[in-house]
Amino acid sequence: MESLNPEHPLHDEFTARMDDIWENYSQYPWLIPPQLGSWKSSMRPVVRKAMEIMDGVQLWWLREPEVDLCKE
C-alpha cells in the first residue's frame, strides 16, 4: 500500500487508523459476554483482528473477478 510510505500524504492517517477505529467503537455501550472480560480490558485484540480480516477481504474485492463484500 502506498500509504505505508512515510512520504505519502495520508501516511499519518493510515498509521493512526486502528487507534481511531478503537476510539470510535469505544463510544458505544457494547454488551460483552462475561467470559470475554470487559470491553476495555479484552476487546481491543478482537476489534483489531476483525479489522485485519476486513482489510484482507477488501483486497480480494479489488481483484478480478470481483468478490461481493456483502456476501462475504
Side-chain angles (χ1 to χ4, degrees):
M1 300 183 96
E2 291 179 33
S3 59
L4 293 175
N5 179 341
E7 301 299 317
H8 192 277
L10 294 176
H11 175 75
D12 292 343
E13 184 175 329
F14 181 77
T15 56
R17 183 170 177 255
M18 190 58 224
D19 288 334
D20 293 343
I21 290 169
W22 177 252
E23 291 301 318
N24 183 41
Y25 281 21
S26 293
Q27 294 177 29
Y28 299 95
W30 298 99
L31 298 175
I32 308 298
Q35 63 270 28
L36 295 179
S38 72
W39 173 260
K40 290 188 182 217
S41 69
S42 62
M43 293 308 294
R44 190 171 180 131
V46 175
V47 171
R48 180 182 52 79
K49 288 174 189 168
M51 296 313 301
E52 290 168 352
I53 291 166
M54 204 46 216
D55 283 345
V57 171
Q58 289 177 41
L59 290 175
W60 280 99
W61 173 68
L62 296 172
R63 294 177 169 227
E64 294 292 331
E66 181 178 304
V67 172
D68 185 329
L69 289 179
C70 292
K71 286 183 182 177
E72 288 295 313

